[in-house]
Amino acid sequence: MHKLREPTEKQLKLAESLEIDTQGKSFRVLSAEIADALESKSFAFVEEHKIEPGIQVGYIGSRDDMPQYLVVSTVAKTSYLYFKGTSKYCRPWEVQILES
């Protein structure tokens, strides 16, 4: 009999930080629930901070390959922010709106 893949420790910690019940869930089910929670959190952040195309932002995340200053091009259906002049993207909480 085939057993479903168990969640990883990293996945369990992330799910817990997002207040997702992990009891009895497989790796794939938990992956989907984490993705949904992050997407919901992202869209709520975008709405709360009024992030929209054309807004200038500063990147404050942990990646070192991102430009420091960016202009939002798109808030994607996946809830990631895309920027003018680069193919880079990030979650909305990784930017700070700059005063104009």
Side-chain angles (χ1 to χ4, degrees):
M1 181 174 187
H2 180 70
K3 185 176 177 187
L4 295 177
R5 183 175 171 193
E6 295 290 323
T8 65
E9 281 301 314
K10 185 177 178 181
Q11 192 181 37
L12 291 169
K13 285 180 185 177
L14 178 56
E16 184 179 298
S17 75
L18 295 168
E19 299 179 357
I20 297 171
D21 176 23
T22 61
Q23 201 65 17
K25 295 179 181 171
S26 69
F27 177 89
R28 288 180 54 174
V29 168
L30 207 48
S31 291
E33 289 188 19
I34 288 169
D36 284 351
L38 287 172
E39 189 172 301
S40 292
K41 181 179 175 182
S42 291
F43 282 124
F45 192 96
V46 165
E47 194 171 294
E48 179 182 339
H49 292 89
K50 297 176 176 56
I51 298 174
E52 57 188 30
I55 289 183
Q56 294 180 344
V57 297
Y59 180 73
I60 58 171
S62 61
R63 291 173 49 183
D64 58 6
D65 66 334
M66 290 290 287
Q68 187 175 2
Y69 302 105
L70 302 153
V71 175
V72 176
S73 170
T74 306
V75 178
K77 290 180 182 180
T78 58
S79 73
Y80 283 97
L81 300 180
Y82 286 83
F83 307 99
K84 292 181 180 182
T86 183
S87 60
K88 308 284 187 205
Y89 58 93
C90 68
R91 291 284 186 186
W93 51 81
E94 296 178 312
V95 300
Q96 177 179 338
I97 295 176
L98 301 175
E99 297 299 322
S100 34

